[in-house]
Amino acid sequence: MTHVFTIAIDGPAGAGKGTLARRLADHYRLNLLDTGLTYRAVAYTLIQHALPLDNVSAAETAARQVDLAKLDRAVLSAHAVGEAASKVAVYPTVRRILVEKQRDFAKTPPGAVLDGRDIGTVVCPDADIKLYVTASAEVRAQRRLAEIESIGGTADFIEILADIVRRDERDMGRADSPLKPAADAHLLDTSEMAIEAAFLAAMAIIDDVLAKRDKA
Ligand code: DC
C-alpha cells in the first residue's frame, strides 16, 4: 500500500495557517483542504435560507450536502460567515459529518495538507507532521486591519481585536474538539515572523522528519 502523507495544521483565526498550508501543499505536491471552508459552507447555507444558526437539524442537512470539490472561497470568505461558522462548529453531529468528509479527503493519494482547528487532535491524529501555528491576538488584529485597508476598506483596531478574542474563546472553549495543540505538534509562533520565514521554519521541521524517516 502506498503511504499517504498528511500534514496537519491547526491554529487560531488569522495566524497565517491558510497561506502556510497553500505554500506547503505546492512545495510538497500534496492536495490541500482548508477545513474552515466546510464549516463556513454549513453556516452560509443556513444564512441563505434565513435559518437560525442553532437549528441543528438544518445544520446537519447542510453538512451532509457539503461537497469538498465545490467550496467557493470567494463566497465563503466573508467575515460574517466566519463568525457564523464558529457558532455551527460547536455541534458534535455537524462536526462528525464534516470530519468524515475531511478524513476521506486526507486518505486520497498522494496525501494532503489540511488546516483547521482539530486536524492534529481529531481529524488526522496519525498525521505525519503536525504544526500548531499561532500569533498574538494583537498581531492577528493588526494583520487583519492591514488586509482590510489594503483593499480600500476601513475598520477599527479595537473592534477587530475584540472580535478575534471572542472567536478564540469560542473555538478554544467548546466541549467538542476545542482548538488546542496536539501533544506532538510543532509550535510555530508567527507573531514576529513574516510568512516566508514561517514557511522556511515549517519546511525545516518537515524535511527533518522526512530525513529521519529515510534513515530509519
Ligand atoms: O479557519 P476559518 O476562520 O475559516 O474557520 C471558521 C470557523 O470554523 C472557526 O472559527 C471554527 C470552525 N472550524 C472548526 O471548528 N474546525 C475546523 N477544523 C475548522 C474550522
Side-chain angles (χ1 to χ4, degrees), residues 12 28 34 38 42 49 62 98 143 179 207:
Y28 293 100
D34 171 355
T38 64
V42 172
H49 291 88
L98 295 179
R143 285 183 191 153
L179 168 64
D207 289 345

Side-chain angles (χ1 to χ4, degrees), residues 9-215:
I9 306 184
D10 291 302
K17 59 188 187 317
T19 312
L20 183 63
R22 200 172 338 110
R23 295 284 306 268
L24 292 174
D26 278 352
H27 182 78
Y28 293 100
R29 297 181 189 281
L30 294 168
N31 299 319
L32 172 66
L33 180 62
D34 171 355
T35 61
L37 290 179
T38 64
Y39 292 91
R40 284 172 181 261
V42 172
Y44 184 74
T45 302
L46 296 184
I47 294 168
Q48 285 296 93
H49 291 88
L51 289 165
L53 297 171
D54 62 358
N55 184 333
V56 184
S57 76
E60 286 167 15
T61 304
R64 275 189 210 97
Q65 287 165 353
V66 167
D67 181 344
L68 299 192
K70 290 190 182 147
L71 296 167
D72 186 344
R73 178 176 297 279
V75 169
L76 301 175
S77 66
H79 183 62
V81 179
E83 272 296 304
S86 172
K87 292 178 184 162
V88 300
V90 304
Y91 298 114
T93 48
V94 171
R95 301 198 68 84
R96 226 173 293 141
I97 294 163
L98 295 179
V99 166
E100 200 174 315
K101 292 176 195 261
Q102 295 160 9
R103 283 183 180 147
D104 283 346
F105 183 92
K107 278 187 216 141
T108 309
V113 180
L114 292 92
D115 75 276
R117 304 292 189 286
D118 60 342
I119 310 303
T121 51
V122 175
V123 180
C124 301
D126 298 325
D128 299 272
I129 311 276
K130 297 181 187 179
L131 301 174
Y132 189 85
V133 184
T134 186
S136 72
E138 288 75 15
V139 166
R140 287 183 283 137
Q142 195 53 58
R143 285 183 191 153
R144 185 159 161 69
L145 181 62
E147 198 180 297
I148 292 169
E149 288 176 347
S150 76
I151 52 169
T154 52
D156 180 62
F157 176 77
I158 298 295
E159 265 175 42
I160 295 178
L161 182 60
D163 235 52
I164 282 182
V165 170
R166 210 176 328 115
R167 176 97 75 97
D168 282 358
E169 280 170 3
R170 200 182 298 121
D171 292 349
M172 292 175 184
R174 67 175 176 236
D176 188 349
S177 318
L179 168 64
K180 61 173 181 203
D184 51 349
H186 299 268
L187 301 186
L188 214 55
D189 189 329
T190 67
S191 301
E192 316 256 324
M193 220 187 249
I195 183 62
E196 188 59 26
F199 172 61
L200 293 176
M203 247 174 51
I205 293 168
I206 296 166
D207 289 345
D208 191 45
V209 169
L210 289 172
K212 282 192 183 124
R213 180 170 304 176
D214 283 348
K215 263 192 229 150

